[in-house]
């Protein structure tokens, strides 16, 4: 059997030499090298560019060394591609009678034929590639000549319009679709962009772009590319959905925060505080629900951050939601999210804090202020780790660790019916109690030193510390606002002073407004609920009965807005004062 690679064993190849350089000689070499019947023995010429088609390239000489080619043993034919004066005669004189010398005119004709063949093959290749591209395109394509006769449609044209190729080719565009973009491009010789019309013969509404085909300024035809409006509308809907997803992601990024503090930020060596920190460190690596109890300003949130930062979830979201100062319906939406249209103003789907905390920690601050309705929903979530958004019925499952804080006595709230007992036991798996500052006064010097360093950086100060008698003064105060009150007091001192050591005189000057009220002055005794009602009324009389006034009153009384409303409802009838029921 004959194999192409064995051709040399069966066919005697024509052995040739080439004399001539520059482009003519290079083109001749390339054409002859592509011929399997020809073997080039040697080449002589200047400025040659020979293709690397052979693993055994022929020897190359300069044009002045042409006699080396003529004298090459076994050469059958010499092609002369150089028309220099007298060169052809010299070659003929040097060549033996057995060698055929092909003059430059014949060599030039051979080059022309070879180049035309090469260009034809290149044209066929490009045509094949273009056909494959047009057939693969999803957009419909239609081509007409200068007279409007349709010469080509791609497969997508039939898919979009429902018109077979056989019924379209040969038709005239001015008859079948005279108002379309293709006809307009032929008439105006201009680009037609975003032309909305119906395809003649099918009634399919499309968006078209058409372009005339010009050659040396002469119109040769035109081409149109179009898509059905249904595809455009689908793309618009996909874009809208993508924008919604992006908006939700921006919302999600805006609501998620990492843990800001570690256990190194928890300053203190007193026994009660150390016990709380040790318990927090022990529970951090697990997934148990944690309830942190302590008065306002003791550092409950800081402890929650530290637990998350020491846990395996440290690289996942830490999402906080405050259960205080939030209207009931707003808190439910914040916690579980809502679907678009769930209520007035719900213009888009919103992810809740529970969903945002997936994989991380959900921190519920002041859980004791949550109403009973939301307590039931939270209990269901804690039991199954699943929920539905407000206004939706699809169930979502999440994996989140729960850390809660409170400054209220949850057991008392359970007895009063204000807090679910089953939820209390679900939250109270690990209970960490942070003692108030008045019970850990030995920690005050450590806290003062830590805060001075902190405020030096913040305020650009150079305070080195506090005198002993000044420390004794502030250690005798009960600090009802705990560490938060101490921190605010020290910042005020550093803002006001230029001293390096905070003296007793300086501290006493700014400390007078914080000193506890002493004295044996008699006060009127009355029932606690009566006193509470009087305080509520006094606060509202001062700040007003508007929503903002009630918020300010709740803040001063150190209760949540929800608690304020509950107490107003409680005391409205017993006091007989309808002012508690005023509308904002």
């Amino acid at each position: 059997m004959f194999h192409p690679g064995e051709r040399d064993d069966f066919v005697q190849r024509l052995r040739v030499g080439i004399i001539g350089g520059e482009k003519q000689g290079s083109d001749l070499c390339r054409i002859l090298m592509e011929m399997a019947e020809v073997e080039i023995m040697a080449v002589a010429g200047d400025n040659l560019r020979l293709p690397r088609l052979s693993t055994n390239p022929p020897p190359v000489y300069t044009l002045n060394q042409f006699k080396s080619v003529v004298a090459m043993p076994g050469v059958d034919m010499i092609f002369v591609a150089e028309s220099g004066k007298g060169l052809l005669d010299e070659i003929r004189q040097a060549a033996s009678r057995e060698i055929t010398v092909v003059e430059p005119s014949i060599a030039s004709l051979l080059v022309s034929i070879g180049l035309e063949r090469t260009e034809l093959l290149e044209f066929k290749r490009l045509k094949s590639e273009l056909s494959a591209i047009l057939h693969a395109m999803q957009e419909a394509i239609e081509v007409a000549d200068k007279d409007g006769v349709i010469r080509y449609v791609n497969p997508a044209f039939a898919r979009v319009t429902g018109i077979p190729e056989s019924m379209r080719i040969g038709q005239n565009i001015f008859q079948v679709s005279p108002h379309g973009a293709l006809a307009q491009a032929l008439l105006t010789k201009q680009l037609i962009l975003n032309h909305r019309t119906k395809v003649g013969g099918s009634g399919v509404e499309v968006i078209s772009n058409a372009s005339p085909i010009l050659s040396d300024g002469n119109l040769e035809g035109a081409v149109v590319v179009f898509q059905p409006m249904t595809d455009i509308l689908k793309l618009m809907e996909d874009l809208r959905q993508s924008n919604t997803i992006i908006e939700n992601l921006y919302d999600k990024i805006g609501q998620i925060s990492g843990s800001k503090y570690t256990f190194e930020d928890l300053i203190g060596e007193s026994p009660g505080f150390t016990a709380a920190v040790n318990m927090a460190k022990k529970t951090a690596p697990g997934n148990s629900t944690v309830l942190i109890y302590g008065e306002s300003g003791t550092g409950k949130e800081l402890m929650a951050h530290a637990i998350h930062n020491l846990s395996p979830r440290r690289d996942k979201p830490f999402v906080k939601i405050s259960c205080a100062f939030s209207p009931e319906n707003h808190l439910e939406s914040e916690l579980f999210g809502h679907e678009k249209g769930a209520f007035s103003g719900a213009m888009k789907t919103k992810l809740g804090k529970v969903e945002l905390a997936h994989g991380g920690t959900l921190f519920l601050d002041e859980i004791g202020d949550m109403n009973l309705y939301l307590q039931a929903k939270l209990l269901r979530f804690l039991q199954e780790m699943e929920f539905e958004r407000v206004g939706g019925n699809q169930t979502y499952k999440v994996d989140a660790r729960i850390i809660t804080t409170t400054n209220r006595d949850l057991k008392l709230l359970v007895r009063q019916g204000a807090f679910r007992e089953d939820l209390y036991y679900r939250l109270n798996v690990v209970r960490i109690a942070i003692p108030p500052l008045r019970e850990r006064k030995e920690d005050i010097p450590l806290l003062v030193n830590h805060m001075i360093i902190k405020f030096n950086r913040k305020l650009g100060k150079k305070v080195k510390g506090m005198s002993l008698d000044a420390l004794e003064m502030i250690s005798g105060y009960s600090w009802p606002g705990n560490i938060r009150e101490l921190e605010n007091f020290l910042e005020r001192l550093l803002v006001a002073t230029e001293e390096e050591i905070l003296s007793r005189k300086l501290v006493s000057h700014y400390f007078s407004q914080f000193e506890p009220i002493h004295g044996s002055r008699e006060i009127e005794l009355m029932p606690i609920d009566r006193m509470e009602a009087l305080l509520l009324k006094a606060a509202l009389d001062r700040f007003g009965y508007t929503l903002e006034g009630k918020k300010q009153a709740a803040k001063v009384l150190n209760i949540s807005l929800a608690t304020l409303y509950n107490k107003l409802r409680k005391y409205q009838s017993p006091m007989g004062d309808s002012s508690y029921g005023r509308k904002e």
Side-chain angles (χ1 to χ4, degrees):
M1 180 180 295
F2 172 74
H3 297 281
E6 299 170 352
R7 184 180 183 94
D8 290 344
D9 298 333
F10 297 92
V11 179
Q12 181 65 41
R13 302 173 71 184
L14 180 66
R15 299 178 179 181
V16 302
I18 300 174
I19 299 175
E22 303 294 343
K23 185 177 183 305
Q24 187 78 355
S26 300
D27 288 342
L28 182 60
C29 285
R30 180 169 58 81
I31 292 169
L32 293 178
M33 282 182 174
E34 291 176 354
M35 296 182 181
E37 300 83 359
V38 175
E39 178 183 0
I40 299 178
M41 303 298 293
V43 181
D46 299 328
N47 300 321
L48 286 166
R49 293 184 180 180
L50 301 181
R52 300 181 179 274
L53 298 179
S54 173
T55 56
N56 297 308
V60 178
Y61 303 95
T62 65
L63 186 62
N64 292 333
Q65 298 172 317
F66 72 89
K67 292 183 178 180
S68 298
V69 177
V70 176
M72 183 73 63
V75 172
D76 301 314
M77 185 176 293
I78 297 292
F79 284 87
V80 182
E82 189 78 29
S83 57
K85 184 176 181 181
L87 178 62
L88 181 61
D89 292 337
E90 291 186 43
I91 293 172
R92 284 175 173 168
Q93 291 176 5
S96 63
R97 293 183 179 181
E98 291 78 12
I99 297 177
T100 302
V101 178
V102 179
E103 61 185 50
S105 59
I106 304 298
S108 178
L109 179 61
L110 180 60
V111 169
S112 299
I113 295 173
L115 290 177
E116 289 181 3
R117 174 177 173 272
T118 301
E119 290 174 359
L120 179 61
L121 292 174
E122 181 67 14
F123 175 76
K124 289 182 177 179
R125 183 184 66 80
L126 291 175
K127 182 180 179 182
S128 177
E129 290 180 357
L130 179 61
S131 177
I133 293 171
L134 295 177
H135 275 63
M137 289 183 67
Q138 297 300 306
E139 294 83 1
I141 298 174
E142 188 175 30
V143 181
D145 63 19
K146 62 181 179 180
D147 298 320
V149 178
I150 299 169
R151 298 298 185 186
Y152 173 81
V153 294
N154 70 340
F157 178 90
R159 176 181 59 79
V160 170
T161 64
I163 302 174
E165 177 185 352
S166 59
M167 295 181 62
R168 197 69 170 183
I169 300 296
Q171 299 289 315
N172 194 289
I173 194 66
F174 294 111
Q175 295 176 355
V176 297
S177 190
H179 303 295
L182 183 59
Q184 296 300 312
L186 286 170
L187 290 172
T188 64
K189 299 183 182 180
Q190 301 291 326
L191 279 171
I192 307 296
L193 300 176
N194 301 319
H195 186 74
R196 184 170 178 175
T197 186
K198 290 184 178 180
V199 178
S202 73
V204 176
E205 190 172 16
V206 297
I207 295 291
S208 308
N209 294 320
S211 173
I213 301 172
L214 302 174
S215 177
D216 295 329
N218 298 318
L219 181 69
E220 299 293 339
V223 58
V224 65
V225 180
F226 59 82
Q227 284 183 295
M229 279 298 299
T230 52
D231 287 359
I232 303 296
L233 294 175
K234 184 177 184 303
L235 286 173
M236 293 175 64
E237 175 61 21
D238 290 344
L239 179 61
R240 187 193 66 79
Q241 292 181 3
S242 297
N243 287 336
T244 300
I245 292 173
I246 292 171
E247 290 175 0
N248 287 336
L249 287 174
Y250 274 121
D251 289 343
K252 184 173 181 179
I253 292 170
Q255 297 180 66
I256 292 176
S257 63
S259 53
K260 301 177 182 178
Y261 308 105
T262 69
F263 281 105
E264 293 180 359
D265 297 302
L266 294 167
I267 308 300
E269 296 177 353
S270 60
F273 184 74
T274 301
V277 170
N278 289 339
M279 176 59 72
K281 288 181 177 179
K282 289 178 182 178
T283 193
N287 287 311
S288 299
T289 301
V290 180
L291 173 62
I292 304 174
Y293 171 78
E295 297 178 7
S296 294
T298 52
K300 300 186 296 297
E301 182 175 345
L302 190 148
M303 180 79 76
H305 279 265
I307 292 173
H308 173 82
N309 204 34
L310 191 62
S311 75
R313 300 171 180 264
R314 67 179 65 89
D315 296 325
K316 300 297 183 179
F318 179 86
V319 180
K320 174 190 173 182
I321 182 168
S322 176
C323 302
F325 301 108
S326 294
E328 296 178 2
N329 58 343
H330 178 69
L331 181 58
E332 182 181 8
S333 173
E334 283 292 304
L335 193 58
F336 298 108
H338 62 251
E339 298 290 351
K340 179 181 179 181
F343 50 82
S344 178
M347 304 303 293
K348 62 180 181 179
T349 297
K350 178 181 179 180
L351 305 182
K353 297 295 180 69
V354 167
E355 197 167 352
L356 296 174
H358 179 65
T361 299
L362 177 65
F363 173 46
L364 302 173
D365 193 25
E366 301 301 347
I367 190 67
D369 293 323
M370 181 178 285
N371 66 71
L372 290 170
Y373 168 73
L374 277 182
Q375 289 177 31
K377 294 198 70 172
L378 178 62
L379 178 64
R380 185 244 170 146
F381 165 69
L382 293 175
Q383 289 171 338
E384 306 295 337
M385 279 296 166
E386 59 185 31
F387 69 98
E388 293 90 30
R389 296 177 187 147
V390 176
N393 52 25
Q394 182 177 349
T395 299
Y396 298 91
K397 291 189 71 69
V398 298
D399 168 32
R401 185 184 195 174
I402 309 299
I403 299 178
T404 61
T405 67
T406 184
N407 61 2
R408 307 181 66 184
D409 187 343
L410 295 186
K411 284 186 178 180
L412 178 60
L413 292 178
V414 170
R415 289 196 296 271
Q416 293 174 345
F419 202 85
R420 293 181 63 105
E421 185 176 14
D422 46 6
L423 178 59
Y424 169 72
Y425 288 117
R426 176 68 66 172
L427 296 175
N428 196 35
V429 177
V430 177
R431 186 176 188 272
I432 299 174
I434 303 179
L437 189 55
R438 63 182 173 274
E439 296 179 7
R440 45 181 294 221
K441 292 188 176 181
E442 61 265 53
D443 289 336
I444 288 179
L446 294 174
L447 290 167
V448 168
N449 183 63
H450 174 76
M451 292 175 185
I452 287 176
I453 295 173
K454 172 183 174 182
F455 291 130
N456 276 336
R457 289 195 297 264
K458 178 180 178 180
L459 303 173
K461 298 287 185 173
K462 296 181 179 180
V463 176
K464 295 180 179 180
M466 181 179 288
S467 65
L468 290 176
D469 53 353
L471 278 173
E472 289 178 0
M473 176 180 288
I474 66 172
S475 296
Y477 179 56
S478 63
W479 298 105
N482 291 292
I483 298 174
R484 184 181 296 120
E485 184 183 6
L486 174 62
E487 189 172 41
N488 291 340
F489 174 67
L490 285 173
E491 184 173 4
R492 179 178 296 183
L493 285 181
L494 265 73
V495 168
T497 188
E498 297 297 330
E499 300 177 1
E500 289 188 350
I501 301 296
L502 302 177
S503 65
R504 179 184 177 89
K505 179 180 178 181
L506 175 70
V507 171
S508 61
H509 177 74
Y510 287 95
F511 196 62
S512 58
Q513 58 184 301
F514 293 101
E515 289 180 350
I517 299 174
H518 296 291
S520 58
R521 184 170 59 89
E522 293 289 337
I523 61 172
E524 180 185 355
L525 297 179
M526 64 181 69
I528 291 177
D529 58 350
R530 173 69 175 169
M531 177 63 75
E532 190 175 57
L534 288 174
L535 285 172
L536 287 171
K537 188 173 187 307
L540 291 174
D541 286 343
R542 175 179 295 184
F543 298 108
Y545 291 83
T546 64
L547 177 59
E548 289 302 317
K550 289 177 180 178
K551 286 182 178 179
Q552 187 65 23
K555 182 177 181 181
V556 170
L557 294 173
N558 197 26
I559 59 176
S560 71
L561 184 61
T563 300
L564 178 68
Y565 276 106
N566 290 335
K567 291 184 181 297
L568 290 178
R569 286 192 290 268
K570 174 182 177 182
Y571 293 122
Q572 180 178 5
S573 297
M575 292 190 63
D577 189 347
S578 61
S579 64
Y580 284 115
R582 292 180 184 175
K583 302 294 183 182
E584 292 81 4

